[in-house]
Amino acid sequence: MFNSSPIESWDGAGVFYSFAQTGMTDFWFWIAVLLCIVPLFVTLKTENHHENIHKFRSDDTDSTHGVQR
Amino acid sequence: MTPAELEAALTWANTINLEVYYYWCTAIMILIHAGFMMYEMGASRVKHTLAAGTKNVLAFAYMIPTFWMFGWWIYLAMYNGFTPDWEAGAGGVPWGESMGPNLQDNASGVFYGAFTLFACTTASIMSGAVIERIRMTAFIILAVILGSVAWILSAAWGWHYAGWMVVEWGYHDFGASGVVHIISGFFALGVLIHLGPRIGKFNADGSANVIRGHSLPMTMVGLMLIVTGFFGFLGGCLFYGGGGPAGIGQWTNIYGMPTTLSTICFNTLMGVAGGMIGAYTKTRDPFWMMSGALCGVISVAAGMDLYYPGLTFTLAFVGGVLGPMAAQLIEKMGIDDAVGAVSVHGFCGMLGLLFAGIFLGGYPQFADNVPTITFGGQFKGMIVMILLGFVPGFVFAWLFKVMGILRASDGVQEVGMDVEIEAMAYPEDIKTIN
């Protein structure tokens, strides 16, 4: 479907990755960046959900970090 | 075959050998990550096990694309300090000809891979220190800052033949005592200060409790995998003889000074053994015996391309004794470092640089205008590494703390961090004393 080849022959070929030397590499680069960032928000959302459910310790609604009671 | 054809064939064979060598170094280095994952999961209590393993794996996964996006460029471009050399960095831009399949470039991919695995190691080092209470999102971002920015910037400065610390101070750090271990250990310290201790670690009077992980055997196997991975890690610190002043076929360290693979074999094994025996002698503790292997290797890593094996063993033994002592000191300061990462990596990394400064005077450098190894140069390098690790860890952890995304709530810690990843390590609910 996509004609992504940057070469017409293997003789003397150098860069041969798909879409080389076209603007499409920028497109795939920024897609990759996005695919790193978006999952962080998804993860954060899941974390926040469970943080809200389990906000306090069962025996203490005003616990102090790190200090055993 | 004409002499020209013979020379071309030799050059080609050299290129392919280089490619094969770093490809397999990278594969072996993945064992370090597998080892750290087991180490951390074993050191966690049952209810936190999968969260510890998952964050370790995600650090690995995030390091790979981010190092491709900007990490490798930082290494090539930032050797002067904070001013990039755009021309040198051109080979590292992710849309460039070298950062993808290229029949004219057999080197960039395997070097990117090996350096990425070094980055993954730095993230794993921090990962162990913060188990059982750090939130996943903040951890991943911190791991990227450490692995794809801080470590590689330190490598550009002190682990690059043209790095400013090398050419101005004669900084010598063959096996990355400073550029990997100090950076990671002190980054972890900066994070730990804001993260705070695990619930129950310290009593109201400031005394510390021992929080045991659920599987010391898993931790020990993990550490043995890390030791195995060291052969990829430290082998990857060599440069396969591609010519230059040392000549074709001659192994060099990353600075261009000739060495041999045998040298690294002698001293890696001696470092592991010395550290294990030293730590076991000091503590009689299986956990610290295995961590002692790391203490030993890290304490000798900076100079292991030059040490006599007997000296290596001795210095590693000292590292194995002092590492656990440093961990006690850090605990007394109220810092809860769950696996001793600050002492094993940060403190022993300092030892590594200082030992090289004390015992490696007089060696000629790869170029006449580069200063020889001195205690002063190593000491100054150590200070730079401490700051380059600590400051970003401290600042970004503070930022995440202010944003409220650094530390899991007490309730989540009580239920277990696994609740946040919606998984359970042992569905049959095995019983432990924890």
Side-chain angles (χ1 to χ4, degrees), chain A residues 10 12-17 21 25-26 29 32-33 35-37 39-41 43-44 46-51 54-59 63-68, chain B residues 62 65 68-69 94-97 100-104 135-137 140-141 197-204 209 405 407-412 414-415 419-420 422:
Chain A
W10 288 105
V15 183
F16 66 96
Y17 57 80
Q21 293 152 354
T25 52
D26 290 356
F29 173 77
V33 171
L35 290 177
C36 285
I37 294 171
L40 289 177
F41 286 100
T43 307
L44 189 61
T46 309
E47 280 174 32
N48 286 339
H49 171 71
H50 290 289
E51 288 288 330
H54 302 286
K55 200 160 189 171
F56 301 107
R57 296 173 65 179
S58 56
D59 60 340
S63 59
T64 304
H65 285 165
V67 176
Q68 191 176 48
Chain B
Y62 264 88
W68 175 75
M69 288 165 188
W95 46 83
E97 294 189 350
N102 184 341
L103 289 173
Q104 308 296 329
R135 287 177 62 175
M136 189 73 78
T137 313
I140 291 170
I141 299 170
R198 290 166 289 178
I199 293 172
K201 177 62 187 176
F202 294 109
N203 300 310
N209 298 307
I405 61 168
R407 181 183 169 99
S409 65
D410 289 1
V412 167
E414 185 187 46
V415 176
V419 75
E420 286 203 346
E422 301 176 340

Side-chain angles (χ1 to χ4, degrees), chain B residues 131-304:
Chain B
I131 54 172
E132 300 195 342
R133 74 276 204 204
I134 198 166
R135 287 177 62 175
M136 189 73 78
T137 313
F139 169 77
I140 291 170
I141 299 170
L142 288 167
V144 169
I145 293 164
L146 169 57
S148 289
V149 181
W151 118 258
I152 196 60
L153 185 60
S154 79
W157 291 359
W159 213 53
H160 184 302
Y161 72 96
W164 70 269
M165 288 169 59
V166 178
V167 296
E168 289 184 24
W169 296 342
Y171 178 79
H172 187 89
D173 190 8
F174 166 80
S177 289
V179 300
V180 166
H181 297 288
I182 290 181
I183 291 287
S184 315
F186 279 88
F187 189 99
L189 179 62
V191 173
L192 286 171
I193 288 170
H194 293 299
L195 181 63
R198 290 166 289 178
I199 293 172
K201 177 62 187 176
F202 294 109
N203 300 310
D205 64 359
S207 58
N209 298 307
V210 176
I211 298 178
R212 295 197 186 281
H214 83 284
S215 176
L216 185 55
M218 187 189 291
T219 295
M220 290 178 73
V221 174
L223 276 159
M224 210 62 200
L225 281 178
I226 296 171
V227 169
T228 311
F230 270 146
F231 283 82
F233 182 103
L234 294 166
C237 297
L238 285 170
F239 191 73
Y240 185 82
I248 287 180
Q250 174 64 58
W251 293 97
T252 66
N253 62 20
I254 205 146
Y255 308 112
M257 297 159 73
T259 187
T260 65
L261 198 52
S262 283
T263 306
I264 309 312
C265 196
F266 273 129
N267 285 333
T268 302
L269 289 170
M270 285 295 203
V272 166
M276 279 179 173
I277 296 170
Y280 190 66
T281 305
K282 169 74 178 107
T283 65
R284 302 282 168 190
D285 179 342
F287 175 85
W288 272 106
M289 175 189 69
M290 293 306 301
S291 292
L294 308 188
C295 294
V297 169
I298 294 162
S299 297
V300 299
M304 65 158 46

Side-chain angles (χ1 to χ4, degrees), chain B residues 398-420:
Chain B
W398 170 79
L399 190 65
F400 295 148
K401 184 180 178 184
V402 170
M403 292 166 68
I405 61 168
L406 182 65
R407 181 183 169 99
S409 65
D410 289 1
V412 167
Q413 290 183 60
E414 185 187 46
V415 176
M417 294 298 289
D418 284 2
V419 75
E420 286 203 346

